């Protein structure tokens, strides 16, 4: 009888151990997307990642969709980057102004170099905003997915809101809250920490003149991480719509996140409506340095 009791006890212990192991495995946090830690655009990358108070660029949709409000008619932007491990990142964004409303859409996609635990991550965004006078308000809906090497895909939806107060082309105050109210679409969903960003941009000279001199400062407060500040500046000369602008930025990286603490970049202004952007980051979330190349068009 004692032998039977011992065997029964051992079987029960094994069963409970298996059940506990499965329970703990089920409690593992959902995966996150590296796209959340990457700059919104090539110009933003050159400014240390600052973007919430920039305006007039289609790439604003990724950080603060209210920044689309100063686009006169149409804005387009695209970029392509290769990380040192061979992974590829590409982005595209567009915005259209209709009376006092701004409609925007954009995507970010990273394809990891194989072999790797993950195949890629995709992020789509759509936004609508309204501007009256100096104040612009906007909201956006975000779709994010992460695919692992087995082909399993975790998907989630989240939302964001943004506001920008722009005093002509001279200064702007931007506030944005992104990735709140996330909803699981498939799999375990994703870890999408809510991020609050507050920023201020000042043009020391009229950007419609031949000189360019801009400073931006931003505070980033992401749930579960220490707050950090980002400071960036750019300067240049543009004559008859053609010129060069150089920029640089600095941001203290949060613990455990390999975001470049310093960055640099430049833009070749081809016309009042077109620019080619370049940025260099010495550290990235995927390791090593990164050269970025992008194009901006505004009409």
């Amino acid at each position: 009888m004692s032998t039977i009791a011992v065997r029964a006890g051992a079987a029960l212990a094994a069963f409970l151990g298996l059940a506990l192991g499965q329970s703990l495995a089920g409690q593992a946090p959902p995966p996150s997307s590296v796209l959340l830690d990457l700059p919104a655009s090539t110009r933003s990358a050159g400014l240390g990642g600052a973007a919430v108070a920039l305006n007039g660029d289609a790439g604003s949709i990724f950080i603060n969709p209210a920044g689309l409000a100063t686009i006169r008619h149409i804005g387009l932007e695209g970029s392509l980057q290769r990380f040192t491990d061979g992974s590829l990142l590409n982005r595209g964004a567009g915005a259209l102004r209709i009376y006092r409303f701004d409609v925007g859409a954009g995507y970010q996609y990273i394809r990891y170099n194989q072999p790797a635990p993950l195949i890629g991550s995709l992020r789509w965004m759509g936004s609508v905003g309204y501007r009256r006078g100096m104040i612009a308000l906007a909201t956006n809906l975000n779709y994010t997915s992460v695919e692992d090497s087995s082909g399993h895909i975790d998907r989630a939806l989240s939302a964001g809101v943004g506001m920008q107060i722009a005093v002509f082309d001279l200064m702007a105050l931007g506030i944005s809250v992104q990735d709140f109210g996330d909803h699981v679409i498939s799999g375990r969903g994703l870890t999408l920490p809510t991020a609050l960003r507050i920023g201020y941009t000042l043009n020391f000279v009229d950007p419609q003149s031949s000189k360019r001199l801009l400073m931006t400062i931003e505070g980033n407060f992401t749930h579960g991480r220490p707050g950090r500040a980002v400071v960036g500046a750019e300067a240049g000369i543009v004559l008859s719509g053609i010129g060069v602008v150089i920029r640089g930025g600095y941001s203290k990286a949060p613990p455990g996140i390999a975001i470049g603490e310093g960055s640099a970049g430049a833009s070749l202004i081809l016309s009042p409506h077109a620019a080619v952007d370049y940025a260099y980051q010495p550290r990235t979330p995927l390791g090593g340095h990164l050269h970025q190349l992008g194009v901006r068009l505004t009409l």
Side-chain angles (χ1 to χ4, degrees):
M1 182 67 93
S2 59
T3 303
I4 295 176
V6 169
R7 290 179 178 177
L12 179 60
F15 173 78
L16 291 176
L18 179 61
L20 179 60
Q22 291 178 340
S23 176
L24 292 175
Q27 294 175 3
S32 182
S33 173
V34 71
L35 297 175
L36 303 179
D37 294 319
L38 299 179
S41 65
T42 305
R43 184 188 180 197
S44 171
L47 290 168
V52 72
L54 298 180
N55 55 52
D57 297 339
S60 295
I61 189 175
F62 298 118
I63 297 295
N64 184 3
L68 303 176
T70 56
I71 292 176
R72 296 180 182 274
H73 302 291
I74 298 175
L76 299 172
E77 186 168 337
S79 63
L80 178 66
Q81 297 90 40
R82 178 185 290 273
F83 293 85
T84 53
D85 69 346
S87 300
L88 286 174
L89 168 70
N90 63 81
R91 281 186 294 244
L96 175 66
R97 184 167 180 80
I98 305 173
Y99 186 51
R100 295 185 184 276
F101 294 90
D102 300 278
V103 179
Y107 79 94
Q108 299 171 300
Y109 178 68
I110 185 167
R111 179 80 177 183
Y112 294 101
N113 189 30
Q114 299 301 313
L118 300 177
I119 291 179
S121 181
L122 174 66
R123 190 163 165 89
W124 283 96
M125 289 189 176
S127 74
V128 60
Y130 176 79
R131 178 186 179 187
R132 187 173 182 86
M134 296 185 298
I135 301 177
L137 301 173
T139 183
N140 57 285
L141 184 65
N142 313 321
Y143 164 89
T144 309
S145 68
V146 173
E147 182 180 4
D148 63 25
S149 57
S150 69
H152 175 78
I153 303 177
D154 293 295
R155 303 179 177 91
L157 285 177
S158 60
V161 294
M163 180 184 75
Q164 192 168 100
I165 302 174
V167 181
F168 303 106
D169 292 331
L170 298 179
M171 56 182 286
L173 172 68
I175 303 174
S176 172
V177 181
Q178 291 296 321
D179 293 312
F180 62 84
D182 56 293
H183 173 73
V184 176
I185 298 179
S186 69
R188 293 176 293 164
L190 297 171
T191 299
L192 301 173
T194 301
L196 166 66
R197 296 178 176 88
I198 303 173
Y200 175 76
T201 294
L202 174 66
N203 280 292
F204 293 94
V205 297
D206 185 352
Q208 302 302 320
S209 67
S210 60
K211 299 176 182 178
R212 300 286 189 274
L213 184 58
L214 174 147
M215 181 275 295
T216 184
I217 184 169
E218 178 176 316
N220 188 321
F221 307 93
T222 301
H223 179 72
R225 299 180 186 175
R228 63 188 181 94
V230 186
V231 179
E234 59 182 27
I237 296 292
V238 178
L239 301 173
S240 300
I242 300 175
V244 174
V245 175
I246 60 174
R247 61 182 59 92
Y250 177 83
S251 169
K252 180 65 176 178
I257 305 295
I259 300 175
E261 296 189 349
S263 62
S267 292
L268 177 61
I269 311 300
L270 303 177
S271 77
H273 308 293
V276 177
D277 300 321
Y278 165 80
Y280 170 78
Q281 293 177 270
R283 298 174 60 206
T284 72
L286 296 184
H289 61 272
L290 174 65
H291 298 277
Q292 302 188 37
L293 193 63
V295 177
R296 284 180 290 145
L297 299 174
T298 56
L299 300 173

